[in-house]
């Protein structure tokens, strides 16, 4: 097995020169499980949030809701990259005017009768609308489901005899707004945090463990301990696992804070 190196601008590489490989923009979960290492404070890390299909099947009118989700081409899970937080309430960057206009145009298509206005927090919402559409559908009460059915009955249908995904999203948004979906999102993130902390402690406890690991680093010249190769590998693996799970807790905490703020504003606008 050999590696052929083609380097732009240089005809040769000196013997003994260290060669690096680019693993791509991967989160710590991929890096850990595929390659066995993680990146501290990885800017490409992400959080996966999902609504369990088992829980959906236990809801009242589950078959109808599952059909509506399918017709909207919506998903029961979504990936939340770290970069999304920059545009949120607690981020550091500001969205451009073009981004704001695109969001408003996207939401204007959801206006059925014009009675439900575009939410004031739209520019700061970091969560994908596709996933929020799923949560709006799941969170619908029976009387809201009836209202949605009534609205869809007022419009023409597509060639296959069913309303389009845009019409379904518009009807559900008109009837439900964001309150139920955001409340469900907050619940999902709180459950995720509880699952992450079960048996491993809090984000702060992981930070303490990492400080302990780093303070006892065998590579430190002041350390007289010489570890075997297997012991060193085990130590690196343990540290990588702690970095990964702390990152997941940190992202969950930050996205939960964004969701809670959105829920507060949504509740104020619906009262």
């Amino acid at each position: 097995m050999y590696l052929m190196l083609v380097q732009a601008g240089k005809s040769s590489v000196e013997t003994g020169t260290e060669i690096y490989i680019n693993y791509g923009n991967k989160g710590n979960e991929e890096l850990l499980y595929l390659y066995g290492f993680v990146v501290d404070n990885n800017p490409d890390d992400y959080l996966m949030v999902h609504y369990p299909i088992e829980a959906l099947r236990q809801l009242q009118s589950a078959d109808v809701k599952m059909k509506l989700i399918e017709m909207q081409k919506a998903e029961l899970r979504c990936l939340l990259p770290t970069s999304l937080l920059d545009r949120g309430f607690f981020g550091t960057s500001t969205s451009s005017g073009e981004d704001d206009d695109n969001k408003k145009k996207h939401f204007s298509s959801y206006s059925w009768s014009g009675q439900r206005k575009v939410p004031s927090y739209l520019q700061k919402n970091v969560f994908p609308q596709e996933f929020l559409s799923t949560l709006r559908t799941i969170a619908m009460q029976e009387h809201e489901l009836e209202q949605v059915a009534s609205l869809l009955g007022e419009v023409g249908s597509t060639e296959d005899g069913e309303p389009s995904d845009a019409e379904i999203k518009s009807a559900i948004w008109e009837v439900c707004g964001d309150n139920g979906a955001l409340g469900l999102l907050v619940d999902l993130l709180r459950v995720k945090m509880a699952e992450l902390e079960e048996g491993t402690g809090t984000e702060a406890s992981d930070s303490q463990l990492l400080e302990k690991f780093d303070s006892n680093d065998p590579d430190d010249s002041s350390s007289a301990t010489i570890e075997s190769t297997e012991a060193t590998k085990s130590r690196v693996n343990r540290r990588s696992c702690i970095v990964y799970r702390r990152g997941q807790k940190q992202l969950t905490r930050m996205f939960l804070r964004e969701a809670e703020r959105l829920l507060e504003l949504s509740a104020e606008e619906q009262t």
Side-chain angles (χ1 to χ4, degrees):
M1 180 180 292
Y2 64 92
L3 175 68
M4 180 178 291
L5 176 66
V6 179
Q7 191 170 10
K10 293 186 179 180
S11 58
S12 63
V13 177
E14 295 181 7
T15 302
T17 301
E18 186 174 4
I19 299 174
Y20 297 90
I21 185 171
N22 186 347
Y23 287 84
N25 300 328
K26 290 181 170 59
N28 277 343
E29 182 170 324
E30 286 184 274
L31 292 175
L32 179 60
Y33 288 101
L34 294 179
Y35 306 109
F37 71 92
V38 295
V39 176
D40 287 36
N41 302 312
N42 189 344
D44 297 309
D45 218 353
Y46 56 82
L47 184 73
M48 196 273 281
V49 182
H50 78 287
Y51 191 91
I53 185 65
E54 297 81 7
L56 176 56
R57 288 177 177 143
Q58 295 175 8
L59 296 177
Q60 190 172 3
S61 302
D63 291 342
V64 176
K65 291 181 177 181
M66 291 173 69
K67 180 65 175 177
L68 288 172
I69 290 172
E70 179 184 349
M71 294 171 70
Q72 293 176 82
K73 302 178 179 66
E75 298 286 343
L76 289 174
R77 66 176 183 174
C78 73
L79 294 179
L80 302 174
T82 302
S83 57
L84 288 176
L85 292 165
D86 292 337
R87 306 197 301 266
F89 291 102
F90 308 99
T92 56
S93 67
T94 56
S95 58
S96 66
E98 184 178 351
D99 290 339
D100 293 348
D101 290 341
N102 288 336
K103 283 188 176 183
K104 288 179 180 178
K105 288 177 182 178
H106 173 81
F107 244 91
S108 65
S109 65
Y110 280 13
S111 178
W112 188 277
S113 64
Q115 294 182 4
R116 190 178 292 281
K117 305 299 182 182
V118 174
S120 63
Y121 49 80
L122 178 62
Q123 288 77 16
K124 292 294 185 179
N125 180 13
V126 301
F127 299 97
Q129 284 300 325
E130 292 78 8
F131 188 58
L132 288 179
S133 294
T134 295
L135 297 183
R136 289 189 195 104
T137 304
I138 293 172
M140 274 195 296
Q141 304 295 317
E142 286 302 299
H143 69 280
E144 293 173 330
L145 198 55
E146 293 174 1
Q147 293 177 49
V148 168
S150 177
L151 288 178
L152 292 176
E154 296 175 1
V155 298
S157 58
T158 57
E159 293 181 359
D160 59 5
E162 293 182 336
S164 67
D165 59 331
E167 289 169 341
I168 296 171
K169 291 176 181 178
S170 179
I172 293 175
W173 161 250
E174 179 75 13
V175 172
C176 305
D178 276 339
N179 215 39
L182 291 172
L184 189 53
L185 178 59
V186 167
D187 289 342
L188 289 176
L189 289 168
R190 287 174 177 170
V191 168
K192 187 169 187 69
M193 181 63 85
E195 291 174 346
L196 287 169
E197 292 180 345
E198 185 178 1
T200 64
T202 63
E203 179 186 341
S205 65
D206 285 337
S207 295
Q208 291 175 356
L209 280 175
L210 288 174
E211 289 176 7
K212 185 176 179 181
F213 260 88
D214 295 340
S215 65
N216 296 325
D217 191 343
D219 292 335
D220 192 334
S221 58
S222 64
S223 175
T225 303
I226 301 178
E227 294 186 304
S228 67
T229 302
E230 286 301 317
T232 300
K233 183 177 179 181
S234 175
R235 179 187 181 85
V236 170
N237 288 343
R238 288 174 61 195
R239 187 185 186 280
S240 295
C241 290
I242 297 172
V243 170
Y244 164 65
R245 77 187 189 205
R246 183 184 66 168
Q248 290 293 289
K249 292 170 186 176
Q250 183 182 48
L251 285 176
T252 302
R253 171 177 57 80
M254 297 172 76
F255 277 111
L256 176 57
R257 184 167 64 159
E258 292 286 343
E260 288 174 337
R261 181 58 179 151
L262 287 171
L263 180 57
E264 290 175 5
L265 294 175
S266 176
E268 290 174 4
E269 295 190 8
Q270 286 197 205
T271 56

